[in-house]
Amino acid sequence: MLRLLRIKNFAIIDALELEFHAGLNAITGETGAGKSIVLDAIGLILGNRATAELIRTGSEEATVEALFDVGRSESFEKKLQAHGLDTHRADHEIIVKRAIHRSGKNKIFLNGELITLSQLADICENLVDLCSQHEHQSLSKPIFQLDLLDRYGGLIEKKRAVRELYSALRSCESELRILGGDERERARNEDFVRFQLNELEEFDPKEGEEEALTNERRKLLNATNLIESVDHALALLGTPGSSEEHDARTLLTRAAQKLSKSTQIDSSLSGVIEAIGRAQLEVEEATSQLASYASNLEIDPQRLETIEERLSRWSEIKRKYGMTFEDIVQTRSRLEQEFSELAHRQSKIADLELKRTSLKKSFQEAALELSKKRKNIAKTLKTSIQSELRELMMPGTSFDIEFTQLESEQWGPEGVDRIQFLFSPNPGEGLKPVAKIASGGEMSRVMLAIRRTMADRGGIGVYLFDEIDSGIGGQTATIVGRKLQSVAQFNQVICITHLPQVAAFAGAHYSVSKKVVSGRTSSQVALLEGQKRVDELARMLGGLNVTEKSRAHAKDLIKQAHASSQ
C-alpha cells in the first residue's frame, strides 16, 4: 500500500505531506483546486515522463517522494534482484524519490540508490493500478484489453516468456539476414580477402628487411666512389711489401727506428715508442678491414635491379596494408580471421537455422498455450463483468470478449491473439466494440466492473480511481461507492471523486483546496474528520451554500455507508 506521499515545489503545491490509510481513501475538492496534481505526482512515482513545466514557478527543482509497504512479495523481491537492488528490508518498505530540475538533470532514487526511468517503470508496474477518465480511450485498444485479460488470469509471466522467445527468434533471424545477404556480394568479398592474403603470403615481409635493402641499395649506387676511396685509403696506409716511401706503415716504422737509438740517451722515450707500436697495430687492423671491405665491393647492376624491385613492392604493400612492419602483421592477422569467419559462415548459418527452427517451435507452442489459457480465462472474466454490471444498475447490458487468431506472419510478442471487448447497453441490440457504443457514464461503470473483478484476483496493492464515477449519480453513485468499498476490503483504494455518495464510503477523506498567500496560489490537502467531513459532503451536495438540510443529508450518507460496511 501507499503509506506516504511528500510533494515539494510541484505545480502549485509548495510543500505537502499526505499520509494515506488502508481501505478506501477519498480525495475531494472544487474543480481546479489541484486534485489532478496529486494524481500527476503519483504518476511520476510510477514512471511517467517529467518536464520542467511541472516545477513550481520561482523554484529550480521539484521533488516527489512516496513510501510503499510492499509486504512479503516474492515477485517484487525478484524484480529488485533483477535490477541489482538491495532486497534486505526488514520493514518491507521502499521509498521512491524523483527530483526534477529545470536544467534537465533529473534523478530517481529507490531506497537511496540511483536508478533509471525504465527501471522505475518496471519495478512499480504492479504497485499501483491507475484507472482514470483518460483510460476510457485506452479501453478501446486491443492491446490494453489483452493486458487486462492477462493480468486477470495471472498470465503475465507466461506472456513474458512468450515475449522473450519472440525476441530471441527475431534476434536469430536478424543475425541470419546479416550472415546471409547477397550471395554474389559474399563471394566477391571472400575472393577479395583471399587475394589480399595471397598477396601478403607471396610477398612474405621480414622485420628489418626494408631498412637493410635501403642501405644495400645506397652502397650499390655509390660502389664506384666507394672503391676509389678504399683504394686510396689503402695506398695511404700502406700494405705489406709496399714500396711507397710516405705511407703510414713506412713512416711509423721509420719513426720507431729513429727513436730507438735515442732511448739510450733518454729512457723516457720508451713510452713514445710503445705508442707508435700500438699505432702500427691499429694501422694493420684498419688495413685488414679495408682490404676485406674492398674484396666485397663490386658494381652489380643485376643485384641493384633486384633490390629496386623489392623496395618498390615494399612501398606498394605499405600503401595497401600499413606503413610499418607491425601494421602489416596486424592487417594480415585481421584478414586471416576474416577469411576464417567467411570460410565458416556456412557452418554458422546452418547452426543458426537449426536454432531458428527450435525457437520458432518453442515460441509457437508457448503462444498457442497462452492463447488457450486466455480463452478459458475470458469465459470467467466475461461472466464476472456481466454480474458486476448488473449490480451497477445496468441489468440489460451484455458483455463479451471476442477472440481473433492472427495470421501466422502477424504473430508477435503478445502472442497469436487479438481480442475485442464487446458491449450492448440495451436488450435486443447487437454487441459492438465497447468504445463505439458506451456513453461516458456507461464506460465508467464498465471500467469499475473490470477493476472490481480484477481486484478479487489480487496482485495489485493500490487501486487509484480518478473520477471514474464521471457521468453517473443518484442511486448508481451509491452503488459505485459500495463497490469501491468492497474493493478496499482487501486492497488500498484512492479515489478522486466529485460525488458525495461515493466519498461517504471512505475510511479516510481528504479535501484539496487553494489558498493565496503573499500573492501566490498554493494547493493544500487536509484530512477531514468529524464536522469538517460533514461540511465537505454538504458542500458537494448543495454547492457553496451549506445548509443544515445539506448537513443532515451528509450525515445520513455517512451513516448509510457505515451501515453497509458492517
Side-chain angles (χ1 to χ4, degrees), residues 132-148:
S132 67
Q133 295 181 70
H134 302 296
E135 198 177 32
H136 295 173
Q137 298 176 352
S138 298
L139 187 59
S140 65
K141 300 176 181 177
I143 190 70
F144 182 79
Q145 297 172 2
L146 198 59
D147 185 61
L148 287 175

Side-chain angles (χ1 to χ4, degrees), residues 450-507:
I450 293 173
R451 284 306 193 279
R452 171 67 184 83
T453 301
M454 293 183 68
D456 289 340
R457 292 299 177 106
I460 299 292
V462 185
Y463 285 90
L464 177 57
F465 294 94
D466 178 26
E467 297 190 8
I468 196 171
D469 47 22
S470 176
I472 61 176
Q475 185 179 359
T476 304
T478 301
I479 295 172
V480 168
R482 190 175 291 119
K483 286 290 181 183
L484 290 173
Q485 187 183 57
S486 70
V487 174
Q489 288 180 359
F490 305 102
N491 308 272
Q492 184 187 41
V493 176
I494 301 171
C495 177
I496 297 175
T497 181
H498 64 279
L499 293 179
Q501 295 93 331
V502 173
F505 283 89

Side-chain angles (χ1 to χ4, degrees), residues 374-534:
R374 281 170 171 168
K375 288 171 182 175
N376 290 333
I377 290 295
K379 297 174 185 177
T380 306
L381 179 59
K382 167 192 170 182
T383 302
S384 299
I385 290 175
Q386 284 200 144
S387 176
E388 290 292 330
L389 289 173
R390 282 195 295 271
E391 294 181 19
L392 287 167
M393 305 297 288
M394 300 177 73
T397 59
S398 297
F399 181 87
D400 200 359
I401 302 175
E402 179 184 67
F403 273 81
T404 302
Q405 182 168 314
L406 301 170
E407 297 294 330
S408 58
E409 61 270 14
Q410 294 178 301
W411 292 8
E414 303 301 319
V416 305
D417 303 306
R418 180 185 295 276
I419 69 169
Q420 184 72 261
F421 285 178
L422 303 178
F423 179 75
S424 174
N426 302 304
E429 293 186 11
L431 288 162
K432 295 182 180 179
V434 64
K436 294 183 178 180
I437 194 169
S439 65
E442 289 168 340
M443 186 70 83
S444 295
R445 280 179 277 181
V446 170
M447 290 300 299
L448 180 57
I450 293 173
R451 284 306 193 279
R452 171 67 184 83
T453 301
M454 293 183 68
D456 289 340
R457 292 299 177 106
I460 299 292
V462 185
Y463 285 90
L464 177 57
F465 294 94
D466 178 26
E467 297 190 8
I468 196 171
D469 47 22
S470 176
I472 61 176
Q475 185 179 359
T476 304
T478 301
I479 295 172
V480 168
R482 190 175 291 119
K483 286 290 181 183
L484 290 173
Q485 187 183 57
S486 70
V487 174
Q489 288 180 359
F490 305 102
N491 308 272
Q492 184 187 41
V493 176
I494 301 171
C495 177
I496 297 175
T497 181
H498 64 279
L499 293 179
Q501 295 93 331
V502 173
F505 283 89
H509 187 165
Y510 304 86
S511 174
V512 181
S513 60
K514 286 195 298 188
K515 285 188 178 181
V516 179
V517 179
S518 300
R520 297 198 67 187
T521 302
S522 180
S523 286
Q524 299 178 337
V525 181
L527 176 63
L528 303 179
E529 296 179 319
Q531 189 59 44
K532 289 184 178 180
R533 187 184 182 199
V534 172

Side-chain angles (χ1 to χ4, degrees), residues 6 31 43 45 99 107 221 315 371 443 460 465 486 522 557:
R6 184 179 292 129
T31 301
I45 293 298
K107 294 180 180 179
L221 287 172
S315 297
S371 177
M443 186 70 83
I460 299 292
F465 294 94
S486 70
S522 180
L557 286 176

Side-chain angles (χ1 to χ4, degrees), residues 58-79:
S59 301
E60 289 300 311
E61 183 180 75
T63 59
V64 179
E65 293 180 87
L67 171 64
F68 290 95
D69 182 346
V70 296
R72 297 181 180 274
S73 172
E74 290 186 8
S75 61
F76 190 79
E77 296 287 343
K78 288 179 179 178
K79 276 196 173 183

